[in-house]
Amino acid sequence: MQDGTDDSNLLGSPAPANNGATLEIASPTSPLSAAPTTPGLGSGAAPGLGATNGSGSVATSPDSSSSAPATPAILGENALHVEISDALSEKEKVKFTVHTRTTLPGFAKKDNNVVRQHEEFVWLHDRIEENEEYAGYIIPPCPPRPDFDASREKLQRLGEGEGNMTKEEFKKMKSELEAEYLATFKKTVAMHEVFLRRLASHPVFRIDQHLKVFLEYDQDLCAKPRKKMAIFGGFVKSLGKTTDEILLSATVRDVNDFFENELQFLTEYHGHLREAASRTEKMTQRHKDVGDSHQKISNALTQLSTTEKGNAETFVAKTAEVFERIKNLETRVASDQDLKLGDTLRYYQRDSDAAKALLIRRLRCLAAYETANRNLEKARSKNKDVHAAEAAQAEACEKFESMSACGKEELISFRNRRVAAFKKSLVELSELEIKHAKTQYEYLRQSLLALKEIA
């Protein structure tokens, strides 16, 4: 079923710039392509964590730099608009402020804010996934858990090694690590909003009672972080699902060519997405490696310039500046590739898993229908409990046909949605690649002319 959400709009539109003390996320549909700002070091934070609220946490706030606040669009009848208007990153968790505006009946407030943590998003996803009434729908994938460990570790090492660097080197590295940390943070916020918007725009999920509780209940939903045993249990459950998938695929023959072809396609498609995401990650890492090499050359030339005099000093210092600027350009290319291509591949890798889960649920329903048919035949042959067997068979048939009709509509919608998203992302990536290439060419041309004048 068409859920009305254009994921491509949620995975990479530009974010507003921020010149204030906090990081601005006017709407986290945007931060994925923003060049992260790097505010000064807060007194209560670990080195380089950016703007803080005085308790060692990173805050984001709605855009306040414009002279007049934007007027919210007027909602139509039975509308439900959800966004993450604010986010706060603390040491062990991220708190998301979920802003809801609605004209749906049943909501106590038409405009409401609640604070949620990642575990509560997982709770909502699990409640919807466990609901048998939604077996024929593609359940939007759960947003990935916030993971800032790598960035925090780098920032910690930077703080420990501050005494071995010059002031300029420390400031430059701190700025780069802040940008990396904040880019990851913004992506995390965006992915959580994608999940909510998919639910809010779906004609069935939007009226789910668990979603209503998530958006309206202003207390903790008691969704605790998963412990080691729970994580192990989740692994066992995942292994069981994989085994179930293999067993059903081998023992249940799908008479509908559409669903059989879709399952085969999605299995291959998911593998291609995983491979493409891995290669994209390697490609972006190579760009970062090239940028790091340029930075090392720039640092060496900067040190060399201090030993030279006159034109030689100016020439070497200018050359160091050129390499540093090229490094920044390479980093920007890597960031855009990861955003426009890598994030899209990873998201649809999870979404294709959700689509395949729908097909497995349908196969399980088909197996139950076939079992009901066999039980009915046995009951008739023995002339015992025929009425109960007929009722069970009719119920299984109705459930299977309903799931098939709904599932077909969902899978067609998924196909259209992913094609539109990839088209948008690839077009935007191509435009950015051309823009960066032109910028780099023009900068190198002007730099060569400047170096010739110095020489």
Side-chain angles (χ1 to χ4, degrees):
M1 184 172 287
Q2 178 66 36
D3 60 21
T5 303
D6 180 3
D7 297 333
S8 59
N9 291 333
L10 302 178
L11 294 172
S13 53
N18 178 17
N19 298 319
T22 58
L23 302 176
E24 296 175 6
I25 299 181
S27 169
T29 59
S30 58
L32 289 183
S33 64
T37 56
T38 53
L41 192 64
S43 59
L49 287 184
T52 69
N53 63 354
S55 61
S57 55
V58 178
T60 65
S61 64
D63 188 1
S64 58
S65 58
S66 56
S67 56
T71 304
I74 298 175
L75 298 179
E77 186 179 357
N78 292 328
L80 178 60
H81 177 78
V82 182
E83 67 177 1
I84 297 179
S85 59
D86 216 22
L88 180 69
S89 175
E90 298 180 348
K91 185 176 181 181
E92 298 296 337
K93 58 191 174 184
V94 177
K95 292 183 177 180
F96 306 94
T97 299
V98 180
H99 180 209
T100 304
R101 297 169 56 233
T102 183
T103 55
L104 283 175
F107 279 80
K109 297 179 180 179
K110 302 306 179 184
D111 195 308
N112 189 48
N113 287 311
V114 292
V115 177
R116 295 283 176 246
Q117 297 180 34
H118 172 75
E119 287 73 23
E120 292 169 297
F121 284 81
V122 176
W123 173 86
L124 176 60
H125 173 268
D126 291 348
R127 297 294 81 74
I128 291 176
E129 189 176 44
E130 292 166 359
N131 192 331
E132 290 189 3
E133 295 181 2
Y134 302 151
Y137 299 98
I138 296 176
I139 310 299
C142 187
R145 181 176 181 80
D147 184 9
F148 308 116
D149 292 343
S151 297
R152 284 172 175 154
E153 186 178 342
K154 291 178 183 178
L155 291 166
Q156 186 65 34
R157 287 203 304 266
L158 176 64
E160 293 170 356
E162 180 179 0
N164 301 324
M165 305 178 189
T166 65
K167 187 176 180 180
E168 285 298 319
E169 288 175 340
F170 176 78
K171 184 178 179 181
K172 190 182 300 179
M173 290 190 66
K174 180 173 75 72
S175 176
E176 292 171 1
L177 290 177
E178 282 176 346
E180 179 184 326
Y181 178 89
L182 297 174
T184 303
F185 178 71
K186 289 179 178 182
K187 284 185 182 183
T188 296
V189 176
M191 288 300 179
H192 284 72
E193 186 178 78
V194 168
F195 171 68
L196 291 180
R197 288 200 168 190
R198 286 262 321 256
L199 294 177
S201 61
H202 194 282
V204 175
F205 298 147
R206 70 203 307 263
I207 57 176
D208 179 83
Q209 284 302 306
H210 291 102
L211 176 61
K212 181 176 179 293
V213 168
F214 180 93
L215 298 177
E216 206 169 31
Y217 185 59
D218 60 0
Q219 302 296 322
D220 187 358
L221 296 176
C222 297
K224 303 299 181 183
R226 299 175 70 189
K227 297 181 179 179
K228 290 183 179 180
M229 285 304 296
I231 294 172
F232 178 73
F235 171 74
V236 173
K237 184 178 178 182
S238 175
L239 188 62
K241 285 183 178 179
T242 304
T243 305
D244 193 25
E245 175 184 340
I246 296 172
L247 183 63
L248 286 170
S249 300
T251 58
V252 181
R253 173 66 179 172
D254 199 331
V255 295
N256 190 313
D257 290 340
F258 172 82
F259 290 102
E260 187 176 5
N261 293 336
E262 281 293 313
L263 181 57
Q264 182 180 356
F265 167 77
L266 285 172
T267 301
E268 296 177 0
Y269 180 68
H270 184 268
H272 291 319
L273 285 175
R274 184 173 59 248
E275 177 66 20
S278 175
R279 293 187 178 189
T280 300
E281 188 175 347
K282 291 177 181 178
M283 177 180 66
T284 56
Q285 186 58 48
R286 294 294 83 79
H287 277 287
K288 292 177 182 178
D289 291 344
V290 171
D292 290 342
S293 298
H294 287 146
Q295 184 64 61
K296 291 177 182 178
I297 295 172
S298 175
N299 293 341
L301 289 172
T302 300
Q303 292 179 357
L304 179 62
S305 68
T306 61
T307 64
E308 300 291 345
K309 303 294 181 182
N311 284 349
E313 178 185 0
T314 307
F315 183 89
V316 175
K318 177 63 178 177
T319 305
E321 181 185 328
V322 170
F323 275 100
E324 183 175 348
R325 176 68 186 279
I326 294 174
K327 180 260 183 183
N328 293 335
L329 291 173
E330 286 290 345
T331 302
R332 197 170 302 166
V333 169
S335 177
D336 287 337
Q337 288 174 342
D338 185 54
L339 165 66
K340 296 298 181 183
L341 186 56
D343 282 353
T344 303
L345 289 168
R346 285 186 288 269
Y347 181 79
Y348 278 96
Q349 190 177 335
R350 297 194 302 273
D351 211 11
S352 63
D353 251 346
K356 193 165 70 167
L358 161 61
L359 292 170
I360 297 304
R361 290 194 296 269
R362 182 183 169 278
L363 279 181
R364 194 177 294 115
C365 186
L366 176 57
Y369 178 37
E370 292 177 348
T371 300
N373 285 333
R374 288 193 295 269
N375 291 339
L376 177 58
E377 290 176 1
K378 290 179 182 179
R380 285 173 175 170
S381 65
K382 295 180 180 179
N383 197 24
K384 184 179 180 181
D385 297 329
V386 176
H387 180 71
E390 286 178 343
Q393 189 266 354
E395 182 182 352
C397 177
E398 182 182 357
K399 183 178 180 181
F400 175 69
E401 290 179 352
S402 174
M403 182 182 290
S404 297
C406 181
K408 185 173 183 178
E409 196 173 344
E410 285 278 294
L411 290 166
I412 292 173
S413 170
F414 171 63
R415 181 190 306 163
N416 296 334
R417 187 172 69 244
R418 71 172 184 265
V419 168
F422 274 103
K423 179 180 178 182
K424 182 176 186 294
S425 293
L426 291 173
V427 167
E428 291 179 350
L429 176 60
S430 300
E431 291 173 347
L432 287 169
E433 294 275 10
I434 293 171
K435 176 184 175 182
H436 291 320
K438 288 181 177 179
T439 300
Q440 192 165 357
Y441 165 78
E442 183 61 24
Y443 178 71
L444 287 173
R445 188 183 68 81
Q446 293 179 2
S447 298
L448 287 172
L449 292 175
L451 288 172
K452 284 182 179 179
E453 290 181 3
I454 296 172

